[in-house]
Amino acid sequence: MAKLSGFPEFLPADRAVEQHVLDHLRRVFELHGFANIETRAVETRETLLRKGEIDKEVYVVQRLHAAEGESTDLALHYDLTVPFARYVLENSNELDFPFRRWQIQKVWRGERPQQGRFREFTQADIDIVGRGSLPFHADVEVAQVMAEALAGLPIPSLTLQVSNRKVLEGFALGLGIAKPTAVMPIVDKLDKLPRDRVVAELHHLGLAEAQAESVLDLASISGGGADVAERVRALGVSHPLLDEGLDELAAVVDGVQAGGAAGAAGLGGVTVVADLRIARGLDYYTGTVFETRMAGYEHLGSICSGGRYDQLAADRRTTYPGVGISLGVSRLLVPLVADGLTASRSVPSVVLVSLADDESRAEATDVARRLRARGISTELAPKPDKFGKQIQHAEKRGIPFVWFPADGSVKDIRSGEQIPADPDHWDPPPADLRPQILSITKEQLS
C-alpha cells in the first residue's frame, strides 16, 4: 500500500520521544501559569480566509454524501491562533484577563510535502491575551517562556530571531512609502527568494530604486538589541513608529537574554538575536515577531514562530490584543528522528514477568499487579517459552528487567546481575522508570 506523503507517523520508540517533548513543554508552560485549552478542528472558511494569504493551504471539509448543491462552509484549521481568537470572543464572559493559554493540537495545511513541511502536523502554542489592552511586557514573557521550554529539549542549539513590524513600517513611512504594510510580506521572502527577485517585487509595488535599496539595507541588519538600533538610525531615516519599534525590539532581546535560557539546551541552548529580515507573512501581526532556526537544520526554515496581534480578536465593543508563539513540533522532530533521535526502548515497560508454564500465569499476574500498584510499568511474557527466549523477547523491546516469580528474583539483563526481590519493595533505578531519550550527537550533526 502506497504511503501518504505529508502525514508523519512515528514508530513506538520515536513516539516516546514526541511524548517526552510534549510532556516537557506542558510542564514548562504550566510552571508559568498557562492554562490548557483545546479548540475544535474546523472553522468556517470565512474565519480562516480573512486572516492572511492562506487560501491555497486550507483543507475544506465536505460530507461524502452531501445533498446536491449543498455548500461547504467548514475547513480544517491551518494554525491554532485563529481558532484561539474565535474561542476568546465566544468565551470572553467566562475568561479571566489577561488570559494565558497553552494548546497542543494537530493542524492541517494543503502544502506540497517536503522535509519539515507536512499536510498534518502537531503545533504547541502559548499566548497571552488582554481585554482592551495588553502591556508590552507580555511580549517579553512569551519569548522567555518558549526559550526556557526549548532550552530543556534534547535537540541541537537554536537561534531565536526577534523583530518588530513597527520597525519596518515606521522605516517605510519615514521613506515616504504610501503602503508600508504591503512591503512586509515581500521582505519576509528574503530567505526564500534571491535579492534581485525581492527588489523586483518592491519595484512592482511602486517603490523607487533608492527606497527599495534602503528597505533591503534595513532587512540586512541583525545582532544585539542596542547595536541594531544604532545601525538602523545610522541609515538616516526617522519616524516616531520606528523609534517605538526599536525600543520594543531591544526590550524583548534583552529580556530573553536576562531570562537565562541561553546555553541550557542539550547541544548548545538558545541564542536570541534581533534580525530585521523577520516580518512574518500573516496579516494579523502588528508588533513583535519571532522566528527560530535550528543549528544544522537551517533548511527547514523557522521551527518556532509567532508575534503580537492587536486586532485579531475583536467584537463591536471590545478588542482583545494578544501575543503568542508557536512551536512546530512535527517540523522539529521528524527530521531529528530520521537522523537518529530516538528512545532507549520501544515500550514503557520496565519489567517483563516471566512465565514458567501456563499454570503459573496467576502467580505471574499477581507479581505484575503489585509492581504496577507502585508505579512500575510491567508486562507479562506472551507465552511460557524457554527463559532464554523470554529474555530475548525483553531485549528486543528494550525492557531492562526480567522477573522470575518461581524463585522471587529479578535480573538486569543488561549487566546480567540477578538478585532476590520482593515486588512490594523492589525499585528499579530512577533512570529506568521511563524510556530515556538518546540524543543526536554533535558528530552526527557534522
Side-chain angles (χ1 to χ4, degrees), residues 59-282:
Y59 276 114
V60 172
V61 176
Q62 187 170 4
R63 289 172 52 210
L64 184 61
H65 299 293
E68 185 176 348
E70 182 177 333
S71 64
T72 301
D73 190 45
L74 298 178
L76 296 171
H77 57 226
Y78 64 87
D79 76 354
L80 298 180
T81 304
V82 172
F84 175 56
R86 189 264 311 157
Y87 177 94
V88 167
L89 288 176
E90 291 183 359
N91 297 283
S92 59
N93 291 334
E94 286 74 40
L95 299 175
D96 293 320
F97 293 94
F99 179 54
R100 306 153 66 83
R101 85 73 149 97
W102 72 267
Q103 186 174 356
I104 299 177
Q105 279 184 241
K106 296 279 191 181
V107 299
W108 296 268
R109 293 184 188 175
E111 297 193 279
R112 182 173 64 85
Q114 53 188 299
Q115 189 177 41
R117 290 189 177 274
F118 309 104
R119 292 169 172 170
E120 177 185 73
F121 54 99
T122 300
Q123 284 192 182
D125 286 25
I126 54 172
D127 287 80
I128 303 175
V129 171
R131 191 202 299 268
S133 64
L134 183 69
F136 174 73
H137 62 72
D139 295 37
V140 180
E141 184 175 1
V142 294
Q144 288 175 329
V145 174
M146 186 59 82
E148 179 181 331
L150 293 171
L153 295 177
I155 60 176
S157 58
L158 301 164
T159 300
L160 175 61
Q161 300 163 296
V162 187
S163 187
N164 193 299
R165 286 169 69 109
K166 294 176 184 177
V167 172
L168 182 53
E169 184 176 356
F171 190 84
L173 289 170
L175 287 173
I177 297 172
K179 296 180 180 179
T181 55
V183 172
M184 295 180 190
I186 298 175
V187 171
D188 199 52
K189 297 177 182 179
L190 276 169
D191 280 337
K192 307 180 186 78
L193 298 178
R195 180 185 173 99
D196 59 343
R197 288 272 304 277
V198 176
V199 169
E201 290 199 22
L202 290 173
H203 288 165
H204 182 72
L205 193 64
L207 272 68
E209 183 74 28
Q211 289 175 319
E213 289 299 326
S214 291
V215 166
L216 294 185
D217 286 344
L218 176 77
S220 70
I221 296 175
S222 65
D227 174 62
V228 162
E230 290 180 9
R231 292 167 63 189
V232 170
R233 292 188 173 105
L235 296 176
V237 177
S238 62
H239 192 276
L241 187 62
L242 172 63
D243 293 335
E244 182 181 338
L246 288 172
D247 289 343
E248 291 183 356
L249 176 60
V252 173
V253 173
D254 293 345
V256 179
Q257 289 174 334
L267 294 177
V270 179
T271 301
V272 58
V273 297
D275 190 330
L276 298 184
R277 288 175 304 167
I278 308 304
R280 304 296 298 145
L282 292 171

Side-chain angles (χ1 to χ4, degrees), residues 242-375:
L242 172 63
D243 293 335
E244 182 181 338
L246 288 172
D247 289 343
E248 291 183 356
L249 176 60
V252 173
V253 173
D254 293 345
V256 179
Q257 289 174 334
L267 294 177
V270 179
T271 301
V272 58
V273 297
D275 190 330
L276 298 184
R277 288 175 304 167
I278 308 304
R280 304 296 298 145
L282 292 171
D283 293 344
Y284 54 68
Y285 292 118
T286 55
T288 302
V289 285
F290 310 102
E291 290 193 358
T292 311
R293 262 69 179 180
M294 182 164 58
Y297 295 85
E298 289 84 0
H299 61 283
L300 297 177
S302 178
I303 55 97
C304 183
S305 309
R308 179 87 174 208
Y309 48 92
D310 286 325
Q311 306 294 328
L312 183 60
D315 55 29
R316 294 179 179 178
R317 297 170 299 171
T318 310
T319 298
Y320 300 88
V323 59
I325 189 165
S326 172
L327 171 63
V329 177
S330 301
R331 178 178 288 192
L332 170 73
L333 288 182
V334 171
L336 292 177
V337 165
D339 288 342
L341 181 66
T342 189
S344 58
R345 57 184 189 259
S346 62
V347 294
S349 309
V350 183
V351 177
L352 177 79
V353 180
S354 66
L355 281 174
D357 49 47
D358 284 325
E359 289 71 28
S360 64
R361 184 175 295 275
E363 180 185 6
T365 299
D366 182 64
V367 169
R369 177 189 60 78
R370 291 154 68 186
L371 288 169
R372 292 174 190 141
R374 300 177 51 244

